[in-house]
Amino acid sequence: MTEKYLVTGASGYIASWIVNFLLRQGQTVHGTVRSLSDTKKISHLLDLKKKYPDHLTLFEADLLRKESFRKAMEGCTTILHTASPFFITRIKDPQKELIGPALEGTRNVLTLAGEFPQIKRIVVTSSVAAIYSDAVDIYRAKKNMFDETMWNTTSNAQYNPYQYSKTLAEKEAWKIAESQQQWELVTIAPGFVMGPSLSKRVDSTSINTMQSLINGKYRTGAPDLWFGVVDVRDVAKAHILAATQQEAAGRYICVGHGVSILGMARILRDHFPKRPIPRSTIPKILLYLVGPLMGFSWKFLNLNYGIEYNFDNTRSIKLGVKYHALKDTLIDHAEQLIRDGLV
Ligand code: NAP
């Protein structure tokens, strides 16, 4: 049976893949974007609309205006709420740029859903940022792995404000979900998302990171930082499983592989030997000098540098997520950027 799905932030890196997979399955999608006239941001969605003219409708909506989601919500049975600002550097006003839109947006979309009784499930894109703030938090994890029982308790508006925005937004989502009985909430907590983009946009933090890895930004050495990486296609599929599997419930960490920046660089260097990809890490002492220029504060370096960690992804695998090999994610991503002339 085909269903109607509302995908908020449809033009984003992750959401574009969700829309693409839903359309391929024959489903109908209402996608919200900030501006229908910004063809640069939405041209890949307009291409999908040409391919699936009866199955994709785009609407304008802004996270800070609850009413702007009303039209898009009409007739939908499921919401995938992905829209939320995602950037971690060059933040001037954390409240206005990150916390307000993340929190208000979640509140607006989830409370408006209560006015549409046919809506039975809402999937919210959270993040592992709602689970931990810094690598050092691994020392309070059971089995040396982050899992879904944990919450980020140390970010705030001044320190790691993106992480704070995601923590507040997911907590708010659970609070609203528990105050009603009409719809069920499932949250997806991706790690750092990489893999090919369906658009040529470069304003996503995920895309910037891959650009930096292969365009020489770290040629003198990579910071010794660890990540939980996941393929964007796996994240999109996890959202769809969360939306469609009856038994889906609660939080799902969505991370395929724990890896350092240098570990990613090694894989990329083997495949692109002529590119200025880092061969070593920058010593911590040197990073104290250049870190602030690269967007890393001393506090961040102290709590993260050189600390290895991992994630328990058992629940997502039980739900049906099959993770791409890390090599495929990284190479597919780099090849897409090269093909699209973005590095
Ligand atoms: P992205 O490409 O930057 O997508 C962010 C989306 O949010 C865009 O569609 C953007 O709209 C929308 N948005 C931002 N502010 C908005 C506002 N005020 N009103 C309406 N829409 C607004 O990044 P992404 O990686 O796909 O992120 C999608 C979600 O995944 C976010 O919730 C993010 O926190 C979460 N996440 C991402 C990662 C990752 O590594 N990429 C990891 C964990 C969780 P425009 O298209 O108009 O800019």
Side-chain angles (χ1 to χ4, degrees):
M1 202 178 79
T2 69
E3 298 271 346
K4 215 174 259 182
Y5 294 83
L6 167 61
V7 180
T8 69
S11 47
Y13 174 49
I14 296 172
S16 302
W17 276 105
I18 298 176
V19 173
N20 181 40
F21 286 146
L22 285 171
L23 293 172
R24 275 206 231 165
Q25 286 181 5
Q27 309 292 357
T28 301
V29 178
H30 284 186
T32 68
V33 298
R34 261 189 286 192
S35 165
L36 283 169
S37 51
D38 191 341
T39 44
K40 250 191 166 171
K41 273 191 177 179
I42 67 164
S43 64
H44 58 297
L45 292 179
L46 298 177
D47 290 343
L48 281 175
K49 197 167 161 46
K50 267 188 217 143
K51 205 166 159 194
Y52 303 96
D54 301 329
H55 285 262
L56 176 62
T57 312
L58 299 176
F59 299 82
E60 269 183 4
D62 189 300
L63 288 170
L64 297 176
R65 291 187 299 115
K66 180 172 174 176
E67 281 306 309
S68 65
F69 288 92
R70 186 174 289 278
K71 260 201 141 17
M73 230 176 253
E74 276 168 15
C76 295
T77 51
T78 308
I79 300 175
L80 297 116
H81 177 48
T82 82
S84 199
F86 175 39
F87 42 90
I88 45 184
T89 52
R90 286 191 280 273
I91 300 155
K92 290 196 188 94
D93 184 340
Q95 181 61 40
K96 196 167 157 208
E97 295 168 60
L98 290 166
I99 300 163
L103 188 55
E104 272 302 302
T106 301
R107 205 176 273 147
N108 285 339
V109 171
L110 271 56
T111 54
L112 189 63
E115 297 183 33
F116 294 86
Q118 80 284 357
I119 293 172
K120 296 294 177 209
R121 184 163 292 183
I122 302 183
V123 180
V124 168
T125 316
S126 184
S127 168
V128 293
I131 286 175
Y132 78 105
S133 176
D134 295 290
V136 75
D137 295 346
I138 197 64
Y139 301 138
R140 62 179 174 85
K142 290 174 233 145
K143 296 182 285 180
N144 207 31
M145 281 196 281
F146 290 117
D147 66 33
E148 288 93 351
T149 63
M150 297 181 72
W151 283 94
N152 176 344
T153 56
T154 50
S155 295
N156 56 50
Q158 284 70 47
Y159 180 67
N160 284 350
Y162 166 72
Q163 286 85 332
Y164 189 52
S165 77
K166 296 304 286 181
T167 309
L168 292 182
E170 191 188 338
K171 285 198 163 168
E172 184 69 8
W174 285 112
K175 196 170 125 200
I176 298 168
E178 279 152 20
S179 70
Q180 55 80 57
Q181 272 153 13
Q182 175 198 318
W183 47 264
E184 296 167 340
L185 177 67
V186 184
T187 63
I188 299 292
F192 195 65
V193 185
M194 305 204 89
S197 174
L198 289 176
S199 82
K200 292 188 183 175
R201 289 177 66 169
V202 290
D203 57 342
S204 152
T205 300
S206 293
I207 313 294
N208 297 163
T209 305
M210 178 53 84
Q211 282 180 315
S212 303
L213 267 171
I214 56 177
N215 73 3
K217 179 174 172 190
Y218 296 131
R219 89 179 67 215
T220 52
D224 186 8
L225 294 171
W226 200 259
F227 286 99
V229 171
V230 59
D231 191 293
V232 65
R233 297 161 288 193
D234 301 338
V235 176
K237 286 194 175 148
H239 278 76
I240 295 173
L241 288 165
T244 55
Q245 299 299 297
Q246 196 52 44
E247 70 276 13
R251 310 172 87 193
Y252 290 91
I253 282 179
C254 193
V255 173
H257 312 273
V259 64
S260 64
I261 299 185
L262 194 63
M264 291 194 265
R266 269 194 210 109
I267 293 174
L268 288 164
R269 229 178 33 235
D270 282 350
H271 200 79
F272 305 102
K274 293 195 178 136
R275 293 209 159 256
I277 297 170
R279 293 180 168 275
S280 57
T281 51
I282 309 186
K284 192 171 181 182
I285 190 80
L286 189 61
L287 204 57
Y288 273 118
L289 297 174
V290 296
L293 301 173
M294 297 164 96
F296 303 120
S297 69
W298 286 3
K299 177 173 177 182
F300 178 84
L301 291 173
N302 276 333
L303 300 180
N304 291 277
Y305 206 78
I307 303 172
E308 189 177 322
Y309 56 91
N310 247 306
F311 294 85
D312 183 351
N313 61 8
T314 316
R315 273 177 50 74
S316 65
I317 289 172
K318 276 197 192 135
L319 184 67
V321 180
K322 294 185 183 73
Y323 289 104
H324 274 78
L326 180 61
K327 182 172 171 235
D328 295 341
T329 301
L330 298 176
I331 291 171
D332 289 356
H333 195 174
E335 281 179 342
Q336 174 253 320
L337 292 176
I338 294 166
R339 196 172 50 244
D340 287 343
L342 302 174
V343 280

